[in-house]
Amino acid sequence: MAKQAKRIQAWTGDRETPMAFSDAIKAVKDNAKAKFDESIEIAVNLGVDPRHADQQVRGVVNLPSGTGRDVRVAVFAKDAKAAEATAAGADIVGAEDLFEKINGGFMEFDRVIATPDLMGLVGRLGKVLGPRGLMPNPKVGTVTPNVGQAVKDAKGGAVEFRVEKAGIVHAGIGKCSFDQDALEANVKAIVDALVKAKPSGAKGTYVKKISLSSTMGPGFKIDPASLGA
């Protein structure tokens, strides 16, 4: 078992009883004692078995308060679409040249967007991008002819989510420096998105558990009912 950080071991409060989401956010902020601006992450345990195709949960949500992160965006596009992506703020834009760069080990980006006509090229990077969750996908808006808007969304707070093997979705929802209202809006947005993405094969209780934690702080359980889940 992984050793817990001293600040978590020292926590003596009640972390087992689920609380209202607004109280959990306050508790996370109050217990973020690191010397840097800690990120806040939500973990949602869903009543699904991702091994079955009809129980997959995947999508994208635009967080109203942003993520607080500087998202580096790589775009596969040519000509006018390449210029559109550059104007929207993409960090690196290219086609065959970008392919060669990534194939050679370049990975200094957090999101990959591609125009549909270049997916044949991008698909050849599946073994590189796929395991890192970076492969463009039309279901989450990263394969699109509207690359300018996709770049703006990625830079402005669009967060992709995908259920893991254990039925859990992890996502960053902001920084501890965000005010209470901003974090509440982000938590509501991602939980609402997960509820809307409920797959047809899900049976029984869908949102089973929710917890919130900061980078270095303890986690706190949220009562799903406080979010209408």
Side-chain angles (χ1 to χ4, degrees), residues 15-19 21 24 41-46 168-169 187 190-192 194-195 206-213 219-229:
R15 293 196 292 123
E16 295 304 312
T17 302
M19 59 182 74
F21 82 101
E41 183 177 89
I42 192 170
V44 185
N45 189 328
L46 300 174
I168 299 173
V169 171
V187 169
I190 196 158
V191 172
D192 285 349
L194 288 172
V195 170
Y206 178 55
V207 180
K208 300 171 71 174
K209 297 178 182 178
I210 305 175
S211 64
L212 211 61
S213 62
F220 296 89
K221 294 182 178 179
I222 293 174
D223 179 3
S226 69
L227 282 159

Side-chain angles (χ1 to χ4, degrees), residues 1-228:
M1 182 180 291
K3 187 176 180 180
Q4 291 184 324
K6 289 182 179 179
R7 70 175 73 247
I8 296 178
Q9 293 181 40
W11 172 256
T12 58
D14 179 12
R15 293 196 292 123
E16 295 304 312
T17 302
M19 59 182 74
F21 82 101
S22 56
D23 293 334
I25 291 171
K26 185 176 186 304
V28 169
K29 286 172 62 67
D30 288 346
N31 287 278
K33 307 296 184 182
K35 294 180 180 179
F36 60 92
D37 189 9
E38 297 181 50
S39 295
I40 297 179
E41 183 177 89
I42 192 170
V44 185
N45 189 328
L46 300 174
V48 297
D49 184 348
R51 292 176 297 178
H52 301 290
D54 64 347
Q55 295 188 46
Q56 290 290 324
V57 180
R58 184 174 187 178
V60 63
V61 57
N62 287 308
L63 299 184
S65 308
T67 63
R69 292 181 59 218
D70 180 17
V71 179
R72 300 167 300 175
V73 180
V75 178
F76 280 89
K78 289 183 175 180
D79 305 324
K81 292 298 179 181
E84 180 184 329
T86 300
D91 296 272
I92 181 168
V93 181
E96 287 80 5
D97 55 334
L98 181 54
F99 171 89
E100 294 297 341
K101 198 169 184 178
I102 294 174
N103 208 32
F106 176 79
M107 292 299 296
E108 294 180 17
F109 47 83
D110 307 297
R111 188 78 53 87
V112 180
I113 295 167
T115 54
D117 59 301
L118 288 183
M119 278 307 294
L121 178 67
V122 180
R124 290 158 55 192
L125 293 170
K127 291 183 179 180
V128 178
L129 300 176
R132 295 173 172 82
L134 293 170
M135 195 66 183
N137 189 307
K139 292 183 179 179
V140 294
T142 47
V143 178
T144 174
N146 192 0
V147 289
Q149 187 59 52
V151 170
K152 290 176 182 177
D153 288 344
K155 292 281 190 179
V159 172
E160 291 184 37
F161 57 83
R162 185 175 187 177
V163 68
E164 300 170 359
K165 290 181 180 180
I168 299 173
V169 171
H170 289 95
I173 56 95
K175 297 282 189 177
C176 287
S177 59
F178 284 21
D179 64 33
Q180 181 78 15
D181 289 344
L183 289 169
E184 287 186 12
N186 280 359
V187 169
K188 286 180 181 177
I190 196 158
V191 172
D192 285 349
L194 288 172
V195 170
K196 289 178 181 177
K198 181 179 179 179
S200 60
K203 306 297 181 184
T205 302
Y206 178 55
V207 180
K208 300 171 71 174
K209 297 178 182 178
I210 305 175
S211 64
L212 211 61
S213 62
S214 64
T215 306
M216 301 293 289
F220 296 89
K221 294 182 178 179
I222 293 174
D223 179 3
S226 69
L227 282 159

